[in-house]
Amino acid sequence: MSDAVDFTKRGAIGVITVNSPPVNALSAAVRDGLDAALKAGQADPDVKAMVLMGGGRTFIAGADITEFGKPPRGKPLHDVLHDIENSSKLIIAAIHGTALGGGLEVTLCCHYRYAVPAALVGLPEVKLGLLPGAGGTQRLPRLVGVPKALDLVTSGDFVPAPQALELGIIDEMGGELLEGAVAYAEKLVADGAPLRKIRDMPCQAENGVFEAYRKANARKFRGFLAPWKNIDCIEAAATLDFDAGMARERELFNDCMISPESAAQRHVFFAEREVAKIPDVPKGTPMKEVKKVAMIGAGTMGGGIAMNFANAGIPVLMVEMADEALARGMAIIKRNYQNTVNKGRLSQEKMDQRMALFSTTTDYADIGDADLVIEAVFEKMELKKEIFAKLDAYAKPGAVLASNTSTLSIDEIASATKRSESVIGMHFFSPANVMRLLEVVAMGIGRKVGKISVLVGNCFGFVGNRMLHGYTGEGTFLLESGALPQQVDGAIYNFGLAMGPFAMGDMAGLDVGWLVRKAKAADRPTNEEYGGTIPDRICELGRFGQKTAGGYYDYKEGDRTPIPNPEVQAIIEQVSKDKNITRTDFDDDEIIKRALYPLINIGAQILDEGMAMRPSDIDIIYINGYGFPAHKGGPMHWADAIGLDKVLADMKRFHAELGERWRPAPLLEKLVADGKSFAELQAG
Ligand code: 3H9
């Protein structure tokens, strides 16, 4: 027997246990081990039925993703599954932890499924740009019906055991994993339960469901390949016989496997896990425990940040200058929670528990017992320094003092204290209680509040916003060169972002950038580098975006649909004239390059400066903080996929046409000269 799978006996029940940490993925060793264990069970005349379970913290979490794209080894998964389904003795899956992807597909070939209440099941392949390729798309709809199967395979959502029981994905639920499953197996044997095979069950769909489903989700799935292929597979289950459906699934699985979308999404999967690893901080380094947080500033941002901590069960003291500001801030927090309760996504009881974790004060002396103090006030250096001097006076020794700035120097803020080593930047993204990203210099706490934390250095705009300025700036330069806002936004939307730079500007408020540009601080890019001329003129008309019913676009009341505005078009054309620029037509491809290549170029500069640790960290920032599409893998992966030599050639063309802001980053030049990609740079 292999080390990865062992076979033991409990009376007349054989127990097959997969032991392949961390997640019991279906590696070659596991497949070979399963093969041997099944043979042992079949051959033993005392064994009447078998239980198949995972050792350690989980059942099987899926195929081994690290084997993808490598030459096949070991017994093929389909053959193992065939042997399970056609076993002459009952096989019962016993699920704890997670049964995901190929893991759930293994259980669907077992004759019955048992789970503990905390178990989760799901087919998350779609998140890797794939589809369940081991019969999942053919067997799941036979159990749960076509509509539910469509939702499960296209979302990749995990289903908790109690719900899986209701849906019929599992047959029995009980508290004890091994004892419970063995008892269930004994009962099935005693009852003479049949060798139930899901493949023999019927699968039907109502007329038109697939077309309707494709139509209803067209917007959501745009740019992705896998959701569409998943739907095709479920359709095959409902229209073809089982074996033909399996053949179709295999064919479409291969289409997904070789697609650039899947390569990008698998890159994102590993990149998300990579961000947590910091070379200077070995695994197991003790983390500062945060038992209490003080939040300076109870505005929208402060309140949103504070909610993250309350959600994680950590008490938060809200600090403001005046009682009215505290009352206003607490009312917003309460309303946010209430909305979630009203939508049925939080129980009233949980909301009450979270609200009870908040306390308020106007006296800085009260922050003395906080382990972490986070400041989220206006982006004004003087104000921040004043606050940090007070924090220095009242915070206990060892407390972490964080600023939620994204544009001011953390080093300068820290200079207002006598403990600069305790001062960090924590850049939450707005709305802070929703967005998944946190740019940070102290990693442990971010994970605790459910954020993907990325370590970044202290530079203007940290990483994400610094790159963003390149993108939004180039967007307005595109307007000067001949494009219109709706054209640029349309191209960016079709590329896969939630919206283009102008719709985004209108939503965020154009006045913010206007004020920053007017301040013209010495360490900031100049107005010309920002591409500020057009937005300045729009702001001068009092058009600040959605909040003033108009910015780059007009808006009807209560409607966020942008409507092109002739006055704005006139401004744009006038600016081109003033700058002696001949307006030209652009196709979408050129717009995408002009608007998005600055992300790559600035990303390369940031890497060169050591402000971000890895190309994949930048990808994670862009996907989670700025809505860059996962099917493109983030800006740096996207650049690799295009080919850095091609990207550089276009940048050189822009450099010649448009000037210094397009000077290619030295790192990019070097990678191309060395024939390397960002991924190869990262691999070392
Ligand atoms: C599939 O099944 C295809 C089939 O349909 C068809 C075949 C023909 N393989 O996330 P964590 C690693 S596709 C290899 O930090 P958690 C992970 O990289 C697969 N490695 O833990 C990490 O390594 P490291 C469908 C894997 O507790 C370590 O395990 N399945 C795999 O927060 C711990 O991971 C999925 O898509 C894998 N399948 O979450 C499930 N999974 O320590 C993907 C994990 O070196 N996995 N690793 O960084 C997950 O969703 C989460 O990992 C899970 C645990 C919920 C299981």
Side-chain angles (χ1 to χ4, degrees), residues 505-506 508-514 517 538-539 543-545 547 551-552:
D506 276 1
L510 303 180
D511 49 332
V512 186
W514 192 36
R517 285 193 298 276
I538 292 174
C539 285
R543 296 178 65 93
F544 295 156
K547 61 184 163 192
Y552 285 102

Side-chain angles (χ1 to χ4, degrees), residues 22-23 25 57 61-66 68 77-78 98 100-103 105 124-125 128 130-134 158 253 269-270 273 277 283 447:
V23 296
R57 63 184 170 112
D64 186 343
I65 308 173
T66 58
F68 289 174
L77 182 58
H78 282 87
T98 46
L100 302 176
E105 291 174 298
E125 282 87 343
L128 300 169
L130 298 172
L131 53 86
F158 297 173
F253 180 81
F269 177 86
F270 287 112
R273 279 148 187 85
K277 296 173 192 157
K283 232 181 184 170
R447 202 171 153 104

